[in-house]
Amino acid sequence: MNPQVVLLVISAYFLLLFLISWFTSRKVTADTFFTGDRQSPWFLVAFGMIGASLSGVTFISVPGEVGNTNFYYFQVVLGYTLGYFTIAKVLLPLYYRLNLVSIYSYLEERFGFWSYKTGSFFFILSRALGSSLRLYLVASVLQLILFDSLGIPFWVSVLITVGLIWLYTYRGGIKTVVWTDTLQTAFMLASVVITIILIGKDLEIKSLGDYISAVNQDDRSAIFNWDWKAGTNFFKQFISGAFITIVMTGLDQDMMQKNLTCRTLGDAQKNMFWFTIILVVVNILFLSLGVMLYLYAEAKGIALPAKSDQLFPMLATQHFSAFTGIVFVLGITAAAYSSADSTLTALTTSFCYDFLQIERKYAPEERVAIRKKVHIAFTGLMFFLILAFYWLNDQSVINSVFIIAGYTYGPLLGLYSFGLFTKLKVQDKWVPYLALAAPLITYLISSNSEKLLWGYKFGFEALILNGALMFLELYLIRKKA
């Protein structure tokens, strides 16, 4: 791939983002950054959330993982639908009734000060680590195909990347992100569809029916696994998918902040309904792309890389046409930045509202200056976290961070479940300690489960165990009537 062409394409892409930023931030108030003035069209939010819910890691890893676990990931996606229904019918009505900006302020009203701070802390910890890691993985790909050839060191390219994200979000915040995410989702989906079409043409697949047949007849398109001991068992995946959705969307400030910019609860619920349908279709596309990538490699006699998530980047940059390679670069760039820009905005919002209590303690004219400082501080944090992952450069560490990030949502699941499904009060001062204990106990149980539970191996359902332990702990410190 020609580095100059890649640079030109990425530059044009960011220019478009800056135009959107200028358009959306012309008339802003002190609270626009956080609330989008609650004027976002629901259909834009629904479409843009696709890009935010996915990432560059998804863009690379889901197609590659088809070679290891077939279409089993789709069992998780089916579970998502139940989770989104719960969010639309249970959590969104609660958030709109309380007129929340930060969703964690519910915990203060329900339990008290320390529960509130605990919920917000676990969100910030998880999102800061997870999003920085995702951006690191994508930045590493771009470094290989672009910046190395230009003689730009990794830390400079990362500084430019996070600096650009800060620039196009620092005024409009969530109002800008709703629109940029829509554009970036469109680029990401177009990239997947175009890549599938171009691979098909190279393999002489001519019609939509032929594409469907090629995928359906491949053994890797098997969806269901009924082996109860396996981590990819249907019931484990489906139930875990529902809970993952509830915590990573419904209890996540990043995802919910977009929903709360809709004009009404009804609009937010419509957004969630259509978002669910689109997300299911998008995941089918990603999995189908995985089959097409393996069919292409087999047809061309190309040796598979050692790690499955290297398959798509390798084929796109070394074997596909230059045009297909550019499409890949646009897709992975869009997937990465649609996740990173919304995360940066959500982290800023959560810290300003949950820890600085910006709406209670400061006048409107002071809020802007404070918010800008917090925004640039989180930009710097993301920069240093990405460099830390680069210096560690250890795949096992990367996997561990993903697992740890998943564990941080367990306490949130327990807190919200206890708040919504009981009327009990708790001894609030103990909540931070319990929130640390639940993930630790979960880790000890899951890492020894094969010995303790007759060969049972935990997968994503460790999250459910984590939340259940937090729920039990809260029950044990309930206040006596």
Side-chain angles (χ1 to χ4, degrees), residues 151-167:
I152 298 175
F154 184 76
W155 73 269
V156 175
S157 67
V158 172
L159 182 63
I160 293 170
T161 297
V162 297
L164 289 172
I165 295 172
W166 174 80
L167 277 173

Side-chain angles (χ1 to χ4, degrees), residues 94-313:
L94 172 69
Y95 298 154
Y96 269 85
R97 176 169 56 81
L98 298 177
N99 195 32
L100 301 182
V101 176
S102 168
I103 64 173
Y104 307 112
S105 54
Y106 161 75
L107 296 174
E108 182 176 33
E109 179 180 308
R110 181 64 179 83
F111 297 121
F113 175 85
W114 289 109
S115 298
Y116 173 36
K117 302 304 179 187
T118 299
S120 181
F121 169 78
F122 272 90
F123 161 72
I124 290 174
L125 174 66
S126 183
R127 270 297 178 176
L129 287 173
S131 292
S132 297
L133 174 58
R134 293 181 182 97
L135 198 53
Y136 156 71
L137 292 175
V138 176
S140 298
V141 174
L142 292 176
Q143 185 71 26
L144 288 172
I145 65 178
L146 174 62
F147 294 113
D148 278 345
S149 60
L150 298 176
I152 298 175
F154 184 76
W155 73 269
V156 175
S157 67
V158 172
L159 182 63
I160 293 170
T161 297
V162 297
L164 289 172
I165 295 172
W166 174 80
L167 277 173
Y168 76 75
T169 58
Y170 89 102
R171 277 181 56 82
I174 193 64
K175 185 176 181 181
T176 297
V177 166
V178 166
W179 286 87
T180 55
D181 277 2
T182 301
L183 173 73
Q184 292 175 136
T185 299
F187 273 114
M188 182 185 66
L189 297 185
S191 175
V192 174
V193 172
I194 292 171
T195 302
I196 291 174
I197 292 172
L198 293 175
I199 293 174
K201 285 187 175 180
D202 210 349
L203 298 178
E204 298 183 353
I205 298 174
K206 298 179 180 179
S207 67
L208 177 60
D210 292 337
Y211 281 99
I212 295 173
S213 295
V215 172
N216 191 49
Q217 292 172 9
D218 193 279
D219 291 340
R220 287 171 288 234
S221 66
I223 294 175
F224 301 107
N225 183 0
W226 304 108
D227 179 4
W228 74 274
K229 290 185 178 180
T232 55
N233 170 264
F234 170 78
F235 295 104
K236 292 182 186 179
Q237 298 281 72
F238 180 84
I239 296 171
S240 299
F243 278 93
I244 287 169
T245 296
I246 291 169
V247 298
M248 296 190 72
T249 299
L251 305 184
D252 186 281
Q253 177 66 26
D254 185 2
M255 300 300 290
M256 284 295 98
Q257 189 170 358
K258 298 179 183 66
N259 280 274
L260 296 177
T261 66
C262 292
R263 296 181 179 93
T264 65
L265 170 60
D267 279 355
Q269 289 174 320
K270 280 192 292 186
N271 152 55
M272 189 58 62
F273 172 75
W274 285 104
F275 164 71
T276 303
I277 294 175
I278 297 170
L279 188 68
V280 170
V281 174
V282 168
N283 277 285
I284 291 174
L285 284 174
F286 271 108
L287 292 167
S288 299
L289 172 61
V291 171
M292 298 299 293
L293 291 172
Y294 280 99
L295 290 175
Y296 181 90
E298 291 165 0
K300 302 296 182 181
I302 300 170
L304 297 178
K307 297 172 182 176
S308 61
D309 58 5
Q310 296 174 348
L311 178 65
F312 194 8

Side-chain angles (χ1 to χ4, degrees), residues 27 33 128 164 174 186 193 299 301 319 325 327 329 348 358 361 394 439 441 448:
K27 297 179 181 179
F33 183 95
L164 289 172
I174 193 64
V193 172
H319 298 280
V327 169
V329 170
T348 302
I358 195 171
K361 295 183 177 180
D394 185 338
I441 297 171
N448 294 284

Side-chain angles (χ1 to χ4, degrees), residues 254-444:
D254 185 2
M255 300 300 290
M256 284 295 98
Q257 189 170 358
K258 298 179 183 66
N259 280 274
L260 296 177
T261 66
C262 292
R263 296 181 179 93
T264 65
L265 170 60
D267 279 355
Q269 289 174 320
K270 280 192 292 186
N271 152 55
M272 189 58 62
F273 172 75
W274 285 104
F275 164 71
T276 303
I277 294 175
I278 297 170
L279 188 68
V280 170
V281 174
V282 168
N283 277 285
I284 291 174
L285 284 174
F286 271 108
L287 292 167
S288 299
L289 172 61
V291 171
M292 298 299 293
L293 291 172
Y294 280 99
L295 290 175
Y296 181 90
E298 291 165 0
K300 302 296 182 181
I302 300 170
L304 297 178
K307 297 172 182 176
S308 61
D309 58 5
Q310 296 174 348
L311 178 65
F312 194 8
M314 180 195 74
L315 293 178
T317 58
Q318 299 177 24
H319 298 280
F320 290 163
S321 67
F323 175 73
T324 311
I326 293 298
V327 169
F328 167 79
V329 170
L330 271 177
I332 195 174
T333 303
Y337 295 119
S338 62
S339 176
D341 57 14
S342 60
T343 294
L344 188 57
T345 303
L347 290 172
T348 302
T349 299
S350 182
F351 191 83
C352 285
Y353 273 77
D354 299 334
F355 289 94
L356 300 182
Q357 298 183 311
I358 195 171
E359 85 289 5
R360 301 180 190 177
K361 295 183 177 180
Y362 299 96
E365 59 273 13
E366 296 177 296
R367 294 176 196 169
V368 175
I370 293 170
R371 183 260 297 164
K372 287 181 178 179
K373 291 177 182 177
V374 174
H375 193 216
I376 199 167
F378 274 110
T379 304
L381 175 64
M382 189 172 287
F383 169 72
F384 286 113
L385 285 173
I386 293 170
L387 290 187
F389 290 129
Y390 175 73
W391 288 325
L392 290 170
N393 197 25
D394 185 338
Q395 186 65 35
S396 63
V397 172
I398 291 172
N399 289 334
S400 298
V401 171
F402 267 124
I403 294 169
I404 292 170
Y407 274 83
T408 60
Y409 284 101
L412 285 172
L413 176 61
L415 278 166
Y416 276 84
S417 298
F418 198 84
L420 290 169
F421 300 119
T422 78
K423 295 183 179 180
L424 300 172
K425 298 290 186 179
V426 300
Q427 299 178 57
D428 181 56
K429 65 180 181 179
W430 294 106
V431 170
Y433 303 104
L434 301 183
L436 293 173
L440 177 60
I441 297 171
T442 300
Y443 172 76
L444 292 175

